[in-house]
Amino acid sequence: MRRAEHLAERRRRALVLILCTVLCALITVLRFAVANPVESIGFLYTIPVAMIAVEFGAGAGIGAALATLGLTVMWAETRDVPLGLVGYAARASTLAAIGGIVGTLAKQRERVEQDRRRWFSMSNDLLSVANFDGRYTHVNEAWTTLLGYSRAELLGRAYTDFVHPDDVERTNEEAAALGAGPHVLVNFENRYRAADGSWCWLLWSARSDSEQIYAVAKDITERKRLEQEREELVARLEQAVRRDPLTGLANRRAWDDQFAVELRRAARSGEPLSLVMIDLDNLKTVNDQQGHQAGDRLLRGSAAAWRECIRETDFIARIGGDEFAILLPDCAPEEAQRVLGRMAEGMRDRHSFSAGVALWDGEEPSTELVRRADEALYAAKASGRGCVRVSAATLLPHSGRSSVG
């Protein structure tokens, strides 16, 4: 790439020299062809002098000025035109000033341009310039290094060709804001397809003027990966602290949170909410006679069977050693009894359980609801276990529906 640019620069300079030589020759011929010495044809030499100064610098511009001054002296001596010291000095100082000033300004501008190009090419960030039609007009080498694209693959193409389908709409909205007028965009994230087909997360900052959009992007794929891993870890940890490790059911902490949620939901909707308290019968006897491993197997098997019998909207938790609780939204006690019947069938006669059911009255504190469900559970256990008892009848003020007693 650099060799090609160097060859192009050499060709351009050679063409400038040839063109300036031709111009000087034409101006000289014209000067000799016009008889009137007053005609300021000689000042046309400022054109090739300025061209030389722009391309080769102030020194070359001054040298070209002196060369054209020599042509002027030759014309004056040949045509016997008395320019005098002042005339020669004026022409010399004008041409030299043009060559020096133009060359100096051109070199300063070239240095600024070189610095800009050097920064543009050496930046590790993805730098780009785009038009308001949504197409890249200039990109730096980082696009090749980070994403694997060549300049030819990027230039002239719509940048949305590379954006993830889920991010196209947001990208177009931001691009429209940049295209509507001078606008600044910061910390915008989207996904870009790399040359190998993978997706990279980019963090964009951009600014627009009345002509173009200037943008810089950082590759934040690794940061996004770490963020996702951290979120997944937090979710796993959160789930772990809300799950009973033996049965996989919700634990007491999760139960307390969900209990409050369901009470608020029932209060808003006016639908019935039944609470069921369950005890596995004689778990202590199983542990004492068969060992704690057998008791653990019973707990795990019971939890797995019960999960298959309740609805998706129901919530079951292990809140103690052999104690379980179930929230049954939009479920009156008679319906709760049918659910418990399915749960008993799901045990396949392996073991029995006792249960107490209480229907929330729509106003009582949660502690009172739990107390009534516990009383019903104790009544079931006192009746010989393996049965269900329902607390005293209550009326739901919001729905007008009553429980069974």
Side-chain angles (χ1 to χ4, degrees):
M1 180 66 70
R2 291 181 178 179
R3 182 178 180 183
E5 291 176 352
H6 183 65
L7 290 174
E9 181 181 4
R10 291 182 60 182
R11 293 192 189 98
R12 187 187 66 251
R13 289 192 167 190
L15 288 173
V16 169
L17 282 175
I18 293 171
L19 181 58
C20 290
T21 301
V22 171
L23 283 175
C24 286
L26 291 175
I27 294 169
T28 301
V29 170
L30 183 61
R31 176 69 278 183
F32 277 95
V34 176
N36 187 358
V38 179
E39 298 290 345
S40 301
I41 296 174
F43 283 99
L44 293 174
Y45 286 125
T46 57
I47 297 175
V49 168
M51 291 174 64
I52 292 292
V54 167
E55 188 63 37
F56 297 97
I62 294 173
L66 295 177
T68 56
L69 179 62
L71 294 175
T72 301
V73 171
M74 181 182 66
W75 164 76
E77 293 298 326
T78 303
R79 292 303 179 89
D80 194 22
V81 178
L83 292 177
L85 183 60
V86 174
Y88 286 125
R91 285 166 172 78
S93 59
T94 299
L95 292 170
I98 290 173
I101 294 172
V102 170
T104 299
L105 294 176
K107 284 302 178 183
Q108 288 178 349
R109 182 174 179 178
E110 183 180 346
R111 282 194 293 271
V112 171
E113 181 65 17
Q114 287 176 347
D115 290 341
R116 185 193 68 81
R117 290 179 178 175
R118 188 178 299 111
W119 173 82
F120 200 88
S121 63
M122 295 180 64
S123 175
N124 292 325
D125 295 330
L126 302 168
L127 305 182
S128 62
V129 180
N131 57 32
F132 293 145
D133 293 331
R135 299 181 181 277
Y136 290 116
T137 59
H138 194 32
V139 294
N140 68 339
E141 294 179 1
W143 287 87
T144 300
T145 304
L146 295 177
L147 299 182
Y149 292 112
S150 66
R151 285 190 176 94
E153 291 175 301
L154 291 166
L155 296 183
R157 289 186 61 180
Y159 39 74
T160 51
D161 290 349
F162 306 95
V163 177
H164 193 283
D166 293 343
D167 301 334
V168 169
E169 183 177 354
R170 294 187 303 109
T171 302
N172 284 334
E173 290 174 357
E174 297 296 342
L178 289 165
H183 182 71
V184 176
L185 170 69
V186 293
N187 297 332
F188 174 74
E189 298 178 359
N190 64 6
R191 284 161 289 183
Y192 251 57
R193 186 180 65 252
D196 61 5
S198 62
W199 293 100
C200 299
W201 276 98
L202 300 182
L203 177 66
W204 291 90
S205 295
R207 182 185 298 271
S208 63
D209 55 20
S210 59
E211 298 179 354
Q212 298 184 106
I213 298 172
Y214 307 89
V216 55
K218 296 180 180 292
D219 183 4
I220 58 170
T221 306
E222 181 64 15
R223 192 189 81 183
K224 280 291 189 178
R225 185 186 66 80
L226 294 175
E227 288 178 355
Q228 182 177 358
E229 289 181 355
R230 183 168 61 249
E231 291 174 359
E232 292 173 353
L233 176 60
V234 170
R236 288 196 297 270
L237 292 174
E238 179 67 18
Q239 185 176 17
V241 299
R242 295 172 63 85
R243 290 288 171 186
D244 173 52
L246 177 62
T247 64
L249 298 178
N251 61 13
R252 186 58 182 261
R253 176 179 177 179
W255 166 261
D256 290 339
D257 292 343
Q258 191 65 26
F259 197 3
V261 170
E262 293 299 340
L263 287 174
R264 289 194 297 269
R265 182 181 292 125
R268 289 194 303 268
S269 67
E271 297 294 340
L273 174 65
S274 291
L275 169 63
V276 179
M277 305 298 288
I278 298 177
D279 259 6
L280 278 173
D281 295 330
N282 300 315
L283 178 62
K284 184 177 185 302
T285 302
V286 174
N287 287 330
D288 292 343
Q289 295 180 356
Q290 302 178 40
H292 285 280
Q293 289 184 346
D296 289 346
R297 285 194 298 271
L298 176 59
L299 286 167
R300 283 194 297 267
S302 300
W306 292 343
R307 272 197 299 257
E308 299 297 322
C309 299
I310 62 176
R311 303 169 302 176
E312 290 185 2
T313 55
D314 300 333
F315 187 81
I316 184 171
R318 183 188 182 200
I319 59 175
D322 58 354
E323 296 177 304
F324 298 83
I326 309 176
L327 287 168
L328 300 172
D330 192 19
C331 187
E334 63 271 20
E335 299 168 62
Q337 287 179 296
R338 286 193 287 271
V339 172
L340 290 167
R342 292 197 302 270
M343 292 172 60
E345 292 176 3
M347 297 288 288
R348 298 187 181 92
D349 298 326
R350 288 178 299 179
H351 205 84
S352 64
F353 63 84
S354 302
V357 181
L359 178 69
W360 188 48
D361 69 1
E363 294 179 352
E364 64 184 330
S366 60
T367 53
E368 178 63 18
L369 178 60
V370 171
R371 185 191 65 78
R372 292 196 296 109
D374 276 336
E375 286 184 350
L377 172 62
Y378 297 148
K381 294 168 71 174
S383 299
R385 305 180 187 277
C387 60
V388 177
R389 290 291 180 266
V390 181
S391 69
T394 57
L395 181 67
L396 277 176
H398 302 296
S399 66
R401 299 173 63 176
S402 62
S403 68
V404 296

